[in-house]
Amino acid sequence: MNQILIRRITLGIVSIFVLLLCGARAQATDISGTISTTLTIFEDSELVGDVTCLVADASCIAFGVPGIKLQLNGFTITGRANSPAGCTPTAKFPSEDGIDVVGQHDVAILGPGLVQKFASVGVFLGAASKVKVKGITASDNCFSGILLIGTTDSDIEKNVSVRNSIGSQGFSCGGT
């Protein structure tokens, strides 16, 4: 009789744990404030305030899994570059991007929102597919506002790219 009771209690505890785990994944991760190491998102996420990114030589926000979205909700993500003074020519391609989607599919970055002052790219899509980027303003990024490399079958619409690539790499790319 005690073994049946123990099994029921164990099953009840496991059931509650599974419900809590699944319930947590259904909610969005709230993002705001200062980010000092790359924030990799694994579930739907949204900005709930402006973000200041202090990450050196890496992206600020990266997508870690397919099938999720990031909503900017009218807020701003600001990098460390003080364009145009912070945009200096370099032999090394800087890797400080605002938002990176690399090797993922079925993801979305939705505005309105501003991605600005990154030493490299505001929004970078690399080897990705079925990505939606809509309503984003990319401004004063040193290399490009929104850059796609090897990205297919995606919707990039109603975005604004202005004052990017202020001579930082010796050529204009994406919205000067």
Side-chain angles (χ1 to χ4, degrees):
M1 190 81 153
N2 285 339
Q3 286 185 334
I4 293 173
L5 183 60
I6 291 172
R7 285 184 184 172
R8 285 185 180 176
I9 291 172
T10 304
L11 182 60
I13 291 171
V14 169
S15 297
I16 290 170
F17 178 73
V18 169
L19 286 173
L20 290 174
L21 180 64
C22 291
R25 291 191 59 85
Q27 298 174 359
T29 297
D30 295 342
I31 302 169
S32 67
T34 301
I35 297 175
S36 55
T37 60
T38 299
L39 173 63
T40 302
I41 59 174
F42 297 98
E43 61 190 349
D44 289 347
S45 300
E46 63 182 336
L47 297 188
V48 295
D50 290 335
V51 170
T52 300
C53 187
L54 301 179
V55 180
D57 297 322
S59 61
C60 186
I61 298 174
F63 280 68
V65 295
I68 61 173
K69 66 183 172 192
L70 172 63
Q71 293 184 299
L72 301 187
N73 293 328
F75 293 105
T76 300
I77 303 173
T78 303
R80 302 177 332 129
N82 186 16
S83 353
C87 297
T88 56
T90 177
K92 176 186 168 219
F93 184 84
S95 58
E96 291 181 22
D97 301 332
I99 302 169
D100 277 0
V101 176
V102 178
Q104 301 298 340
H105 63 279
D106 295 316
V107 299
I109 303 168
L110 305 173
L114 173 63
V115 181
Q116 67 176 358
K117 298 186 178 183
F118 284 90
S120 185
V121 178
V123 176
F124 176 72
L125 310 178
S129 65
K130 297 183 180 179
V131 178
K132 182 174 194 170
V133 180
K134 183 176 181 181
I136 305 301
T137 299
S139 177
D140 298 302
N141 297 292
C142 290
F143 187 74
S144 181
I146 300 173
L147 180 64
L148 290 72
I149 297 179
T151 296
T152 61
D153 196 23
S154 296
D155 294 320
I156 314 302
E157 59 186 50
K158 298 182 181 178
N159 299 294
V160 176
S161 184
V162 61
R163 290 188 312 271
N164 295 294
S165 166
I166 306 174
S168 65
Q169 306 301 317
F171 56 90
S172 176
C173 182
T176 313

